[in-house]
Structures are given as C-alpha cells and as structure tokens.
Amino acid sequence: MYYFSETSSNRPSSATEGKRKQTTAIVLLGVIGAEYGHEIETNKKKTPEDQKRRSVVDGFGLSNYSLARYTSQALAFLLLVPPSPSFPAHTALRRAAIDLIGRGFTVWQPYLDVSKILLGLLELCCDSDKLVPSMSYGLPLTPAADSCRTARHALSLIALARPPTFITCLVKEVARYNTLAQNAQALNISMHMTVLSRSKPEILRVIELLIDKMQTDVSDLLVEVMDIVIHCLDHTQLKVRGLKELFPAICRFYNVTYCNSTRRIAVGAKSGALAIYELRASKCQTISAHAAAINACSFSPDGKYLASYSNKENKLCFWQTATGLFGLGNAQTRCIRTYNTPHLSEAVKNNPLRMARLQWPANKVVSLITDDNLEYRFSVT
C-alpha cells in the first residue's frame, strides 16, 4: 500500500489561500448586501422572521452599516484595480464584483465614489460596438465581451435605481472633460482616448433607457441630460441630420427644441430657466425666463424667434436672439412679447410631461396645443 502526501509544491501557499478566502468572503457579503440590504433600509419594523435572519444581515442596516461600507469598498477595489498578471482585466471575480455593484447599488452608494464607479464601468464598455454582436446572437463570449455585458447591465441597474445620482455624477465628469479639452493642446492630452470620449455610444444607450423608463426623473434634470447628450453626439451629423433623427429620444420632451438653420438647441428647465446651446460656438446661455417650470418651448421655422410656455405661470413668452455684426460677439436673448394663457383643465394637468406643445403655423405665429386638443394662437407682432 502506498501513501501519497501533498508536497509543498502542490499545496497553495498561505498567502494565496488567504487571498482566496478573502475574495470568497467579499463575494458572499456582496450577495447578502445586494439581496437583503434593501429590506433593512425599507422595513424598519422587524418581524419575528427578520429577527431570525438578523445574524445574516446585521451590518447592512441603517444603525449598523460597517459591513456595507467595507463590502462596498472591497467591490469597488475589485472593479477599479488595474489589471496585472495576478489579477487580469477580465476575470470571473471582477465580473462578480461588477454584477454585485449594480444589483446592490442602493446599499453601496453612500460609501462609494460614484463617479469613479461609473467611469470604471464605462471603460469596460468602450468597445461595446465591436463586442455586442457576440452578445446579441448567442455566440461564444470572449472574456472581454463577458465583462462588457456585465458592465452594461450594471450601468443600467445603477441608472434605473438612482437616476438623479447617475445624471449629476456624469454631468460633472462631462464638465471636467470640457475644461480639460480647452487646455488639451497645452497639456499634450489626447482627448479622444479618454473614457468619456470612447464610451459615448454606451452613455447614449443608458440615457435613452432612462428616458424610456424614468421620464419624470429625466425631466427634472433635463438641462443636465442635454449637457451629456450634446457631449456624446457627433456635431457634424447633428448639422446634417438634426436632433430628432440623430437622437429622437430626447425630442419626446415638449420643452426641448432644435433649430437646424441656426444650430441652436433650447431646453426649458423645471426651475423656469431657458438653456440655449449655441453649437457653432460651443457655448450655452442660461436666462431666467419664467417663475415656474417651463412645459414647452419651440424655435420658429426661420430660427429668429423662440417661444416658451409655463402652465403654472399661465404665461407664454416670445424671445429674440441677436448677435453682433456678421455673427460676431455674444448672442443677446431678450423677451419681446408676453401673453397670459388660458387655464388648462385638471385632466390635462394630470399629465405634466404631455400637457401642451408649441407649433409654428407661420414664422411669426405659434399655436399652443393642449393634450385635450384645444388650440390657442399667439402672434409675435
């Protein structure tokens, strides 16, 4: 009879074994937090069944959140740690961490640097246009495609779970990108190689998903969303095809309008402000247009006038934008006429996003068309 003993060369080192146990523990804690953390947040009254499970979920609640904090930091580390021979870019462990970040985002969010998480996920999606066919048609997935699919799913879960957080974090990164782009030549930086430049299609995909599923949340931050959309769109294509054809989802809002002749976009905000984007000059002008939320705005066909409407204020305004000689100098937008508008029915007010729209039957006449198909006409002159 022969006895074989495991030699030191075959036995995992204590350091390797320790790392394996740590990663296993992180994944298990991530699963527990993602699955049960929501219940701790939402249900403050504990039932007898909750008491039985307390030893399992303790540490993911409001009063005792130590496990949630440490687990979120560990999951973030597994996502963001640079690839190395010991921890390659596309491993099952990294994908598990990505998946758990998405599934339990509402639990992890208070302890995460959300901007870093979003950029880390977007980086994995930069080549999604090349990898999507294998994901769509059931072809065998490469490790990179599997990571991309997992990251895309996590981005969708994060955006749908916390739309304001997703939008505000992303618009801050876009602002940083624009500031850096102004000094890119002096700093010798290639902007087209940055994550925000390479992941534009993926960002637009998530924004379109938000518009489809969380329209009210998007409407509340529509100017910020437009900042993101303008960053992602190809301005040459925008000039040729127009906003409605290039990104039709954003045109579902009646308080978004695009003028192809002047290459301007206007967005009416919930605050009553009008944001007017001058695409030729890459500038945005914000004016205090109304004292309440703007429900609709529209450029005239010739681009000389902009009409804006606020239901709460019961007011419609005409705006004229003028530039200096030969288009030089800053654009000056001024209100040239204001009308009081009729009160809308309560049935129409129940759907604030579809309450009323503006259409121009002529260059100096605009129609206010309510959701119940009533029409009121107003003239610039």
mmCIF file with all atom_site columns, all heavy atoms in Angstrom, residues 63 122 161 279 294:
data_model
loop_
_atom_site.group_PDB
_atom_site.id
_atom_site.type_symbol
_atom_site.label_atom_id
_atom_site.label_alt_id
_atom_site.label_comp_id
_atom_site.label_asym_id
_atom_site.label_entity_id
_atom_site.label_seq_id
_atom_site.pdbx_PDB_ins_code
_atom_site.Cartn_x
_atom_site.Cartn_y
_atom_site.Cartn_z
_atom_site.occupancy
_atom_site.B_iso_or_equiv
_atom_site.pdbx_formal_charge
_atom_site.auth_seq_id
_atom_site.auth_comp_id
_atom_site.auth_asym_id
_atom_site.auth_atom_id
_atom_site.pdbx_PDB_model_num
ATOM 1  N N   . SER A 1 63  ? -28.472 51.466 11.291  1.00 0.00 ? 63  SER A N   1
ATOM 2  C CA  . SER A 1 63  ? -27.737 51.743 12.527  1.00 0.00 ? 63  SER A CA  1
ATOM 3  C C   . SER A 1 63  ? -26.368 51.076 12.536  1.00 0.00 ? 63  SER A C   1
ATOM 4  O O   . SER A 1 63  ? -25.398 51.627 13.044  1.00 0.00 ? 63  SER A O   1
ATOM 5  C CB  . SER A 1 63  ? -28.559 51.280 13.734  1.00 0.00 ? 63  SER A CB  1
ATOM 6  O OG  . SER A 1 63  ? -28.851 49.893 13.627  1.00 0.00 ? 63  SER A OG  1
ATOM 7  N N   . LEU A 1 122 ? -17.798 52.308 -17.516 1.00 0.00 ? 122 LEU A N   1
ATOM 8  C CA  . LEU A 1 122 ? -17.804 52.799 -18.899 1.00 0.00 ? 122 LEU A CA  1
ATOM 9  C C   . LEU A 1 122 ? -16.543 52.375 -19.648 1.00 0.00 ? 122 LEU A C   1
ATOM 10 O O   . LEU A 1 122 ? -16.593 52.099 -20.852 1.00 0.00 ? 122 LEU A O   1
ATOM 11 C CB  . LEU A 1 122 ? -17.934 54.323 -18.917 1.00 0.00 ? 122 LEU A CB  1
ATOM 12 C CG  . LEU A 1 122 ? -19.317 54.883 -18.569 1.00 0.00 ? 122 LEU A CG  1
ATOM 13 C CD1 . LEU A 1 122 ? -19.265 56.392 -18.400 1.00 0.00 ? 122 LEU A CD1 1
ATOM 14 C CD2 . LEU A 1 122 ? -20.345 54.503 -19.636 1.00 0.00 ? 122 LEU A CD2 1
ATOM 15 N N   . ALA A 1 161 ? -31.856 52.630 -10.743 1.00 0.00 ? 161 ALA A N   1
ATOM 16 C CA  . ALA A 1 161 ? -32.040 52.665 -9.291  1.00 0.00 ? 161 ALA A CA  1
ATOM 17 C C   . ALA A 1 161 ? -31.929 54.081 -8.743  1.00 0.00 ? 161 ALA A C   1
ATOM 18 O O   . ALA A 1 161 ? -32.674 54.463 -7.837  1.00 0.00 ? 161 ALA A O   1
ATOM 19 C CB  . ALA A 1 161 ? -31.017 51.755 -8.610  1.00 0.00 ? 161 ALA A CB  1
ATOM 20 N N   . LEU A 1 279 ? -24.379 75.733 -30.757 1.00 0.00 ? 279 LEU A N   1
ATOM 21 C CA  . LEU A 1 279 ? -23.476 74.651 -31.144 1.00 0.00 ? 279 LEU A CA  1
ATOM 22 C C   . LEU A 1 279 ? -22.307 75.148 -31.981 1.00 0.00 ? 279 LEU A C   1
ATOM 23 O O   . LEU A 1 279 ? -21.220 74.577 -31.937 1.00 0.00 ? 279 LEU A O   1
ATOM 24 C CB  . LEU A 1 279 ? -24.258 73.577 -31.903 1.00 0.00 ? 279 LEU A CB  1
ATOM 25 C CG  . LEU A 1 279 ? -25.394 72.905 -31.117 1.00 0.00 ? 279 LEU A CG  1
ATOM 26 C CD1 . LEU A 1 279 ? -26.053 71.833 -31.956 1.00 0.00 ? 279 LEU A CD1 1
ATOM 27 C CD2 . LEU A 1 279 ? -24.888 72.319 -29.807 1.00 0.00 ? 279 LEU A CD2 1
ATOM 28 N N   . ILE A 1 294 ? -40.972 75.307 -17.072 1.00 0.00 ? 294 ILE A N   1
ATOM 29 C CA  . ILE A 1 294 ? -41.312 75.503 -18.484 1.00 0.00 ? 294 ILE A CA  1
ATOM 30 C C   . ILE A 1 294 ? -41.806 74.174 -19.044 1.00 0.00 ? 294 ILE A C   1
ATOM 31 O O   . ILE A 1 294 ? -41.101 73.169 -18.995 1.00 0.00 ? 294 ILE A O   1
ATOM 32 C CB  . ILE A 1 294 ? -40.094 76.004 -19.279 1.00 0.00 ? 294 ILE A CB  1
ATOM 33 C CG1 . ILE A 1 294 ? -39.665 77.383 -18.762 1.00 0.00 ? 294 ILE A CG1 1
ATOM 34 C CG2 . ILE A 1 294 ? -40.404 76.065 -20.772 1.00 0.00 ? 294 ILE A CG2 1
ATOM 35 C CD1 . ILE A 1 294 ? -38.399 77.913 -19.401 1.00 0.00 ? 294 ILE A CD1 1
#
